[in-house]
Amino acid sequence: MTVRLWNVGDTVSSLILDHDNWINCVVYSPQGDTVASSDGTKIRLWNARTGFLRRVLTGHDESVTSVMFSPQGELVASTSLDMTVRIWDTETRACHILFGHNDRVSSIVFSPKGGQVASGSEDSSVRLWDVAAETSCHVSSGHTDEIAYVRYSVEGNQIASCSMDGTIRLWDPETGSCRHILRGHGNPVCDVAYSPDGDSIASGCDSGTVRLWNARTAACIHILRGHSQAVNRVAYSSSGDRIASASEDSTVRIWYVRSDSPRTTTNHQTTDTLTMTSPQTLRDPLTLEGHTEPVLCVVFSPDGAQVASGSDDSEVRLWNAEDGNCQHVLVGHGSGVNNVVYSPTGDRIASVSHDNTVRLWSAQTGACHHSFIGHTDSVYVIQFSPQGDVIASGGKDKSVRLWGVEGKTCQWILVGHTDSITCIEYSPKGDLIASGSGDCIVRLWDVASGQCRAVAGFQGWINDIAWGSTSDSDYLVAGCHDGSIRMWQIEKKDRSRLYVRWRTKAELTVEGAVTQDVDGLSELNARLLVQRDVLASTVLACLLRRCDTLGNTAARDMNNKSACSCAQKRK
């Protein structure tokens, strides 16, 4: 029943802090001069340099579950099995009691500026509390089943999410409120994509249909039928006049759509109509045949002239988007291709596979430029940086790797996740990269230094993440297996220090942590457990137990699965 303070690099603890009961949590103040610990119903504040006991905060009726300092260190927030949140003044011991949860409160965190605290409870709610006013509001979700993908519109003023519950939801990124619910598929919705102008949405369904929707009115414009099995992915061409769909039936289809013009304005609202072109007005859809196994991914080149597809048959195929002819068959992967992407200039293609490799190809000749070897298990996801000079990949070996396109070397190995990487996404400027995992965690990394800048924990594994941007802030959205959407805002005013406003059920934040040793426990992970701005280890353990309760143990073993394939998510 002790807390030990250790000097970094030594094997002998410098201070031993004695307690009367089992210790639930321990955390440093932001300044590093005070340590807060809890044993039973008490919270103890210690001088971190001398080990002197400064204060004992009493008031909780049952065991304390988490403790957190405010950013300035003058306040301490605590949660308890007694269903309350308490805010303490570290100097005067004055206490504010926040009532509202109707079950055990397990986690607490201050907002970056200290004006709010967010608490998570076993009553399945999150409450945001105004520290000064002592008021709260509840943040809830809407989907009733696993979310497959989330997408930002081009202008960043809307978010679309698709779910296994058969619906698509359109969200306001400023408030997090649901604007529209798109119903009609009836079966799990596997993918969703915005048109380049943001006016329409395409979605692919488990039943094999593709639907087109008006992004403003939520009306279903057209139902595209032709696939005989589930549609795994949908993608718009850069001009917005074509949609490509990849299916379990081993085919790719290109559908011709157009946006009628001109637009009209009525009651200050712009309206237009998107129509499916009939064979008489333009041409029939193209069916691209050649793959011998389910097609897991499809993407248009930036200029819209070419389509790339990847399949479980281990091949990447390049197609002429105008006539549907297969231009090149890219052979080299030793197992199924999970994802394929074009470089921003469109002259290169990157693909990842269950064979543990990342391959870089010429989009003009189909020649393999390089095979990046380093991952120790299946690679699921891949992204080019906005500048096209770096490739990010992630997979079952729990690492994110950044590869230099020109130097063909691994620049960083980003470690910290404890389960498969399911999604990665660069920020609009390319200075940050977000990764989601089966460990129910989203991590935010600094690309230049390889540092982890922030960490967020959820109640289910992360299926997809998406970035949006305004003049003042970037927005990051995560779609979770528990059916929820989580969104947070990252202010641009000073990127050397990250200002993150979270809207989530539980969160962990880190300032200035550096990943030092990729083979052992990183400094980041150590600080997540015992140092400042971090939830207590007991709360982290509680989160992991909840994930296990959801049955994630078997689902996280994504062997022979593609994290980006709806059909494989259902297996």
Side-chain angles (χ1 to χ4, degrees):
M1 295 184 286
T2 64
V3 171
R4 290 176 179 262
L5 305 186
W6 308 80
N7 291 321
V8 177
D10 293 344
T11 58
V12 179
S13 60
S14 59
L15 294 172
I16 300 177
L17 314 180
D18 291 316
H19 293 69
D20 300 329
N21 208 331
W22 295 105
I23 300 165
N24 297 327
C25 48
V26 59
V27 64
Y28 271 95
S29 67
Q31 297 78 16
D33 58 349
T34 303
V35 172
S37 61
S38 69
D39 58 327
T41 61
K42 300 176 182 177
I43 300 165
R44 298 174 187 264
L45 304 182
W46 308 81
N47 185 307
R49 296 180 180 86
T50 66
F52 175 74
L53 180 60
R54 289 177 170 173
R55 284 169 181 74
V56 179
L57 309 179
T58 60
H60 280 295
D61 297 325
E62 295 188 52
S63 293
V64 176
T65 55
S66 63
V67 175
M68 178 67 70
F69 278 96
S70 65
Q72 294 75 32
E74 82 282 9
L75 300 175
V76 168
S78 60
T79 62
S80 169
L81 300 183
D82 65 10
M83 300 185 288
T84 68
V85 175
R86 292 177 182 248
I87 308 294
W88 311 81
D89 187 301
T90 58
E91 293 298 325
T92 66
R93 304 188 207 183
C95 177
H96 296 299
I97 307 175
L98 309 180
F99 296 97
H101 287 293
N102 53 33
D103 207 333
R104 301 173 177 181
V105 190
S106 56
S107 58
I108 191 76
V109 69
F110 275 92
S111 64
K113 294 183 179 180
Q116 277 189 341
V117 292
S119 58
S121 166
E122 292 185 18
D123 64 9
S124 301
S125 75
V126 176
R127 289 181 177 264
L128 303 182
W129 309 86
D130 186 295
V131 173
E134 304 174 44
T135 57
S136 75
C137 63
H138 175 61
V139 181
S140 60
S141 52
H143 283 295
T144 58
D145 205 340
E146 173 184 353
I147 293 169
Y149 288 99
V150 289
R151 305 282 191 243
Y152 262 95
S153 63
V154 175
E155 296 179 352
N157 57 3
Q158 189 169 263
I159 299 164
S161 61
C162 62
S163 170
M164 298 294 110
D165 66 9
T167 69
I168 300 161
R169 287 179 177 255
L170 306 183
W171 309 83
D172 185 328
E174 294 291 336
T175 65
S177 60
C178 183
R179 291 174 176 171
H180 298 288
I181 303 175
L182 281 55
R183 295 185 172 92
H185 277 296
N187 292 74
V189 186
C190 306
D191 196 16
V192 63
Y194 276 96
S195 62
D197 59 11
D199 291 337
S200 62
I201 294 170
S203 57
C205 178
D206 181 80
S207 65
T209 61
V210 175
R211 285 180 178 248
L212 305 184
W213 311 82
N214 185 300
R216 292 187 299 276
T217 67
C220 182
I221 302 166
H222 211 286
I223 304 174
L224 311 181
R225 295 183 173 90
H227 286 295
S228 60
Q229 295 183 50
V231 176
N232 291 327
R233 297 299 297 269
V234 291
Y236 272 94
S237 64
S238 56
S239 59
D241 61 344
R242 286 165 293 175
I243 297 170
S245 56
S247 172
E248 288 283 297
D249 65 10
S250 305
T251 69
V252 174
R253 286 181 177 252
I254 298 179
W255 312 85
Y256 291 86
V257 298
R258 72 168 183 264
S259 184
D260 290 339
S261 59
R263 298 184 183 184
T264 59
T265 302
T266 305
N267 296 330
H268 307 289
Q269 292 185 344
T270 303
T271 62
D272 67 356
T273 303
L274 184 81
T275 61
M276 171 65 188
T277 57
S278 66
Q280 292 74 27
T281 58
L282 191 55
R283 54 189 297 181
D284 289 319
L286 295 175
T287 301
L288 314 183
E289 296 178 318
H291 286 296
T292 58
E293 294 290 339
V295 186
L296 306 181
C297 48
V298 65
V299 62
F300 277 96
S301 61
D303 62 5
Q306 192 178 65
V307 171
S309 60
S311 167
D312 256 343
D313 62 10
S314 307
E315 295 178 351
V316 175
R317 287 180 174 255
L318 305 184
W319 314 82
N320 185 308
E322 187 62 28
D323 57 23
N325 288 329
C326 182
Q327 297 173 329
H328 301 287
V329 180
L330 313 186
V331 178
H333 282 299
S335 190
V337 177
N338 293 322
N339 209 342
V340 59
V341 293
Y342 278 92
S343 65
T345 55
D347 59 334
R348 291 170 172 170
I349 295 169
S351 59
V352 294
S353 167
H354 285 299
D355 66 5
N356 309 349
T357 68
V358 177
R359 288 181 176 259
L360 186 65
W361 314 81
S362 168
Q364 285 76 36
T365 67
C368 183
H369 287 325
H370 191 69
S371 180
F372 297 96
I373 298 174
H375 284 288
T376 59
D377 213 327
S378 298
V379 191
Y380 296 139
V381 288
I382 189 167
Q383 281 283 321
F384 272 97
S385 66
Q387 296 76 24
D389 57 340
V390 179
I391 296 172
S393 60
K396 195 177 179 182
D397 66 3
K398 309 169 190 176
S399 72
V400 175
R401 293 175 183 250
L402 305 185
W403 311 88
V405 172
E406 298 302 332
K408 299 178 175 59
T409 58
C410 184
Q411 298 178 346
W412 293 108
I413 304 175
L414 311 180
V415 295
H417 285 293
T418 59
D419 209 325
S420 299
I421 309 298
T422 56
C423 47
I424 52 177
E425 193 77 22
Y426 275 96
S427 64
K429 292 180 64 176
D431 57 335
L432 300 172
I433 189 168
S435 59
S437 169
D439 63 7
C440 313
I441 295 290
V442 171
R443 289 177 179 262
L444 198 61
W445 310 86
D446 183 276
V447 171
S449 66
Q451 296 180 7
C452 184
R453 302 290 300 277
V455 183
F458 302 110
Q459 288 187 323
W461 68 81
I462 314 301
N463 283 348
D464 196 25
I465 47 183
W467 285 89
S469 183
T470 65
S471 59
D472 298 325
S473 303
D474 286 339
Y475 291 87
L476 185 63
V477 173
C480 194
H481 177 75
D482 65 6
S484 63
I485 294 286
R486 310 283 192 262
M487 180 176 66
W488 57 96
Q489 175 185 0
I490 304 168
E491 298 179 17
K492 294 180 178 177
K493 59 184 178 181
D494 181 5
R495 294 306 278 265
S496 64
R497 177 178 175 84
L498 214 58
Y499 296 86
V500 183
R501 296 179 178 177
W502 303 92
R503 295 177 185 172
T504 179
K505 288 191 174 181
E507 60 232 41
L508 318 173
T509 62
V510 177
E511 292 284 357
V514 180
T515 301
Q516 293 181 330
D517 183 3
V518 300
D519 294 323
L521 183 64
S522 67
E523 180 185 1
L524 168 64
N525 286 333
R527 294 181 76 169
L528 282 175
L529 293 178
V530 297
Q531 291 191 4
R532 60 192 176 93
D533 295 331
V534 180
L535 290 180
S537 58
T538 52
V539 179
L540 182 60
C542 180
L543 274 174
L544 296 178
R545 286 197 301 272
R546 289 179 181 177
C547 294
D548 290 337
T549 303
L550 290 173
N552 291 355
T553 302
R556 290 184 200 155
D557 182 11
M558 306 179 74
N559 186 28
N560 297 325
K561 293 184 180 180
S562 166
C564 56
S565 166
C566 170
Q568 288 168 323
K569 287 174 184 172
R570 298 193 306 275
K571 291 180 182 178

